[in-house]
Amino acid sequence: MTTIQADRTVPVIRIAREFQATPGQLFRAHVDAELFKQWVGPDAMRTRIEHWDARTGGSFRYVSVAGDGAEYAFRGCFHDVRPERIVQTFTYEGEPDGVALETLWFDDLGNGRSGLRTQSLVDSFEARDAWLKSGMETGVEDGYAKLERMLTDGTV
């Protein structure tokens, strides 16, 4: 089960989910472009990687394509990439002034289970609430369900 929470004191969204996987598998699914594009986002969209350099100091740009051909582009910079944590910026190009600072943690829970925790800090409560109202939970839930299937079937 995925939890999505808005912090009441700072404009942060926190997401958490447990997986039957190692932290290394979760890390790989986030830094390997071929794996990432298979699971990220809503089921109704496919992802095209335009640029992917998942290393400290690297950057990314990917495009989510809807069934009707509409495209939604996202970009950012990888500030710190380590097996236990990724720190990156994240921008939806439709709102180019909205830059989030995201941290992802890959926690070993033992018995072959791992936790994925993310935190996204945006510049205002209004921006945070707009993210929450955007339908982002569909992309998160669908994406993590796809990732769970990839972990189960050995793709990752």
Side-chain angles (χ1 to χ4, degrees):
M1 179 175 152
T2 303
T3 61
I4 300 174
Q5 298 176 324
D7 191 295
R8 292 180 180 200
T9 59
V10 290
V12 164
I13 298 170
R14 291 186 179 92
I15 302 171
R17 175 151 174 173
E18 290 185 17
F19 292 90
Q20 186 66 41
T22 66
Q25 287 174 294
L26 290 178
F27 175 77
R28 186 170 160 240
H30 283 80
V31 298
D32 182 313
E34 289 304 309
L35 294 173
F36 182 81
K37 75 178 187 177
Q38 292 178 55
W39 69 263
V40 73
D43 289 341
M45 303 182 101
R46 64 178 175 77
T47 299
R48 180 179 72 239
I49 303 292
E50 299 277 322
H51 170 74
W52 196 265
D53 184 12
R55 62 176 176 84
T56 298
S59 60
F60 67 88
R61 182 174 191 270
Y62 66 89
V63 179
S64 295
V65 183
D68 64 2
E71 295 190 350
Y72 305 90
F74 304 89
R75 62 182 162 82
C77 296
F78 292 105
H79 290 265
D80 188 31
V81 178
R82 292 185 270 157
E84 68 279 358
R85 183 183 87 158
I86 297 172
V87 179
Q88 64 188 31
T89 58
F90 181 85
T91 299
Y92 164 54
E93 291 184 358
E95 296 287 336
D97 293 335
V99 179
L101 177 61
E102 297 188 334
T103 305
L104 296 80
W105 293 271
F106 309 102
D107 303 318
D108 188 343
L109 303 177
N111 296 321
R113 294 198 61 77
S114 297
L116 171 60
R117 294 179 295 125
T118 69
Q119 174 176 285
S120 298
L121 173 65
V122 296
D123 65 352
S124 69
F125 288 99
E126 294 79 16
R128 182 204 62 198
D129 294 345
W131 275 39
L132 292 169
K133 292 177 185 170
S134 73
M136 67 166 273
E137 71 280 350
T138 299
V140 170
E141 291 284 358
D142 287 358
Y144 285 170
K146 287 183 279 190
L147 177 54
E148 185 77 53
R149 288 190 297 273
M150 291 171 65
L151 291 160
T152 301
D153 72 14
T155 302
V156 181

